[in-house]
Amino acid sequence: MPSGRNRGQFKGGGKRNENNRIYSNPLPVLFHDVSPRPVRSLLSFVGLSLAKIESPECEGLFDPVTRSVWVINPQDSTILWRRGFFGKGDLSRSEPSWLARQKSQRKSTHLTSEEVRERRRLERKQFKLDRAQAIAAVAAEAEAIFAAEGRVITPALSGPSIPSAATWKPTRVPEEQPNTEAPIAPEPVAEDEDELEDLEHLQLTLSEAFFLIWNFDCLTVWDSVTHELMSVESLWNTFQQVHLQPPIPDAPLQPLQLDNPFLINYMAYQHYRALGWVVRGGLKFCVDYLLYKRGPVFAHAEFALVICPVYEDPADQKSSRTNLQNATPFSWTWLSTINRVNTQVQKTLVLVYVTIPSKSRVPVDALHTPAVLSYFSVREVVVRRFIPSRMRD
Amino acid sequence: MFAPDTHPSNEALDALITKYPETSGCLFQVYNDILYAQSWTDVRVVDLGLLLRGAVKGRRDTDTDTVYVVPCALAESLSYAWLQNAFKALEDPAEIYLGISADDSSIVYYKLSAGIVKPPV
């Protein structure tokens, strides 16, 4: 059997190396060190560096309606996704791939992750139909035997004649079908392809946007309504204001509160990003955030975070106008549900307790700068179900 | 790529965004996802005064029946009365979809049926 060193450009090691090359920068900023090697090693021994920082100057637009920052420049969007997995395409699963999917609908080329997912779902649907048919056939056979001989057989729900997930294989459908039966005629589409506008954008959450601005200064944000440049200070205040009132133009400013959802989410986001994790949203798994070691393209997330805000002073909670999620202890059934969902997908559930300082401890105007974060603290508790009969170690 | 003020969906949604500003974000995200990503046909918006939001209706490409999607944000708490109002406002369809959207533009859809439904297979 000839060993396939060049089995295919994108099989096995090829795809991994390709990903290692494309996603090699974990942060949007790049470091260039042009000093000679001996100088570099001598300085690094002492903990110094002459590296120059190159920061991509990305631009974003703040949208109060969706409470997010939009990146509409394709180059900026690619940079932010590839260097650190920031943002999400608003019409895609993760990376903005809507335009690629539209183009590949017209001709079959390299599949995007959404198309792989669709194919998997169709195959699973077919498997379920086949299995149901097989079970019905076995039941009908048992009925026939009873009618003919009076012998009672319980129809089996598994066995050699009934497909199981491990043994079922999809029947190969001839490849010409999608092209010949395509509802869109090929000629008019050839012209449309050049004029096909990208209706998608990269959407950054407020936490991601502020993290990039404050720590790396690689993003400038403009207000989408007034078209003015927003300073770091005004961004900090605006990001809190959007959670205190609906996006009505010219609404009066509300007094800032310590239990603002933006502060709590940002605290947790900053904490884990600073530790080197890639933090993404966890809506699909009933949790707040997912932690990836390197990124979604490399491996599945290991940890699922649920943020539980805790008030240092219970009186603050009673007087609060904000209805914070998970601020009251949740029931065991809910905890079991979330744990079960995440155990099924092999993720470990982590409860992240963010402590909201009491109002008496914090000066009134501290909320207007990120310095207020120093009053918050983050603790984590890992939850794992313990089954005494099975876990004896 | 379009900016928020020049987005093509603004024309269809502006009236409802102004009327119900609290739920405008989730309506915008669900509408775009249904129209452009899920590629439903005959997509229209419906004003649900009872729930103080707009809803989206359309046809999935494989079916011919009109289906309703009610958008809501992750931070909202829904009660049974709210769900009953949803069915009532849409004139009692057999099932509705709930589109739950998050800030990062992820959306999960839940199918709610009025009554018990046997699994298809």
Side-chain angles (χ1 to χ4, degrees):
Chain A
M1 190 80 160
S3 74
R5 254 189 184 251
N6 294 325
R7 270 172 296 163
Q9 203 189 0
F10 291 108
K11 285 202 179 156
K15 178 90 187 190
R16 212 180 319 128
N17 289 334
E18 179 83 13
N19 277 342
N20 281 337
R21 190 183 56 80
I22 299 174
Y23 300 101
S24 52
N25 301 103
L27 291 174
V29 289
L30 300 176
F31 298 93
H32 294 299
D33 202 339
V34 294
S35 50
R37 248 205 103 159
V39 177
R40 238 189 293 169
S41 35
L42 189 67
L43 283 176
S44 70
F45 187 67
V46 205
L48 299 170
S49 165
L50 284 173
K52 297 249 181 333
I53 299 178
E54 181 202 304
S55 173
E57 276 151 34
C58 303
E59 296 196 339
L61 291 165
F62 170 62
D63 178 37
V65 169
T66 53
R67 284 192 200 150
S68 59
V69 171
W70 293 23
V71 177
I72 59 174
N73 180 328
Q75 284 88 359
D76 289 348
S77 140
T78 311
I79 288 177
L80 288 176
W81 171 256
R82 287 189 177 175
R83 299 188 202 166
F85 304 99
F86 290 94
K88 176 188 168 291
D90 77 315
L91 297 175
S92 309
R93 240 176 106 181
S94 54
E95 185 179 0
S97 64
W98 182 82
L99 196 61
R101 293 196 320 264
Q102 298 300 306
K103 285 187 180 151
S104 86
Q105 256 186 1
R106 283 137 172 104
K107 51 181 176 192
S108 51
T109 47
H110 183 54
L111 289 174
T112 55
S113 68
E114 284 86 355
E115 283 153 354
V116 171
R117 180 185 64 183
E118 277 317 299
R119 226 180 237 193
R120 191 180 64 228
R121 283 178 179 171
L122 282 169
E123 282 181 6
R124 181 138 179 91
K125 203 163 152 185
Q126 186 59 39
F127 157 66
K128 284 186 178 175
L129 284 169
D130 287 350
R131 184 178 61 183
Q133 265 179 352
I135 290 178
V138 168
E141 211 183 288
E143 284 285 319
I145 291 181
F146 180 69
E149 302 165 28
R151 199 161 36 107
V152 174
I153 299 179
T154 11
L157 288 173
S158 64
S161 55
I162 297 173
S164 73
T167 56
W168 183 85
K169 279 206 183 1
T171 49
R172 283 266 156 254
V173 178
E175 282 299 332
E176 319 87 71
Q177 274 187 5
N179 289 331
T180 53
E181 294 176 12
I184 308 167
E187 282 84 86
V189 166
E191 297 155 351
D192 283 348
E193 209 182 275
D194 300 322
E195 301 161 6
L196 192 62
E197 282 177 314
D198 195 358
L199 293 164
E200 192 174 28
H201 59 266
L202 186 79
Q203 189 151 322
L204 296 171
T205 59
L206 301 180
S207 303
E208 287 174 329
F210 197 80
F211 178 78
L212 288 170
I213 295 162
W214 195 37
N215 291 285
F216 306 112
D217 198 21
C218 60
L219 183 69
T220 41
V221 179
W222 304 79
D223 190 317
S224 62
V225 174
T226 60
H227 300 286
E228 281 170 4
L229 184 64
M230 296 174 81
S231 67
V232 180
E233 208 190 302
S234 91
L235 282 166
W236 178 253
N237 286 294
T238 313
F239 286 175
Q240 290 183 67
Q241 283 289 334
V242 289
H243 284 104
L244 295 173
Q245 55 178 312
I248 307 169
D250 303 322
L253 292 179
Q254 304 286 325
L256 297 180
Q257 306 289 337
L258 278 168
D259 57 356
N260 194 305
F262 169 68
L263 289 177
I264 294 159
N265 287 334
Y266 183 69
M267 186 69 206
Y269 186 85
Q270 159 101 358
H271 177 80
Y272 290 100
R273 270 283 182 185
L275 289 169
W277 295 97
V278 170
V279 185
R280 299 193 52 75
L283 179 66
K284 298 198 172 111
F285 298 104
C286 255
V287 294
D288 290 307
Y289 290 122
L290 294 176
L291 294 184
Y292 294 83
K293 209 155 138 195
R294 272 184 85 187
V297 298
F298 295 106
H300 290 294
E302 272 183 59
F303 296 101
L305 305 182
V306 175
I307 299 186
C308 307
V310 176
Y311 288 84
E312 192 182 325
D313 184 357
D316 286 345
Q317 188 168 10
K318 289 201 189 72
S319 61
S320 163
R321 277 170 49 220
T322 324
N323 182 17
L324 269 184
Q325 292 222 314
N326 295 335
T328 50
F330 46 74
S331 63
W332 273 110
T333 48
W334 187 233
L335 180 65
S336 302
T337 309
I338 303 181
N339 195 24
R340 185 63 166 225
V341 165
N342 285 290
T343 312
Q344 289 283 86
V345 290
Q346 284 145 12
K347 295 190 203 309
T348 309
L349 183 66
V350 178
L351 302 178
V352 178
Y353 290 95
V354 178
T355 312
I356 303 169
S358 84
K359 279 190 210 157
S360 51
R361 207 156 58 89
V362 178
V364 178
D365 53 354
L367 280 160
H368 292 282
T369 66
V372 72
L373 292 175
S374 59
Y375 293 96
F376 287 72
S377 63
V378 175
R379 289 166 295 148
E380 14 338 84
V381 173
V382 175
V383 175
R384 268 219 184 90
R385 190 173 155 213
F386 176 68
I387 306 171
S389 55
R390 279 200 230 155
M391 296 162 166
R392 296 197 186 278
D393 303 327
Chain B
M1 295 189 166
F2 290 93
D5 49 344
T6 54
H7 200 275
S9 303
N10 283 344
E11 207 186 299
L13 299 178
D14 261 340
L16 285 170
I17 287 181
T18 328
K19 191 172 176 191
Y20 305 117
E22 291 249 9
T23 54
S24 49
C26 47
L27 172 65
F28 186 80
Q29 279 175 184
V30 168
Y31 180 80
N32 284 326
D33 189 65
I34 298 270
L35 180 58
Y36 299 120
Q38 311 295 336
S39 307
W40 286 19
T41 47
D42 286 343
V43 179
R44 307 258 183 280
V45 265
V46 172
D47 185 333
L48 293 185
L50 260 179
L51 298 175
L52 296 175
R53 64 192 67 217
V56 182
K57 73 171 185 187
R59 289 186 300 128
R60 295 179 73 168
D61 42 15
T62 46
D63 304 330
T64 48
D65 303 324
T66 306
V67 170
Y68 296 95
V69 182
V70 180
C72 68
L74 190 56
E76 287 184 61
S77 333
L78 308 179
S79 61
Y80 184 60
W82 190 96
L83 294 173
Q84 281 185 309
N85 281 338
F87 276 94
K88 197 159 79 175
L90 292 167
E91 285 152 31
D92 293 317
E95 61 205 16
I96 63 172
Y97 286 84
L98 198 61
I100 306 172
S101 67
D103 295 350
D104 68 339
S105 78
S106 315
I107 304 181
V108 283
Y109 294 98
Y110 278 85
K111 185 163 151 180
L112 304 173
S113 311
I116 292 186
V117 178
K118 207 174 153 220
V121 283

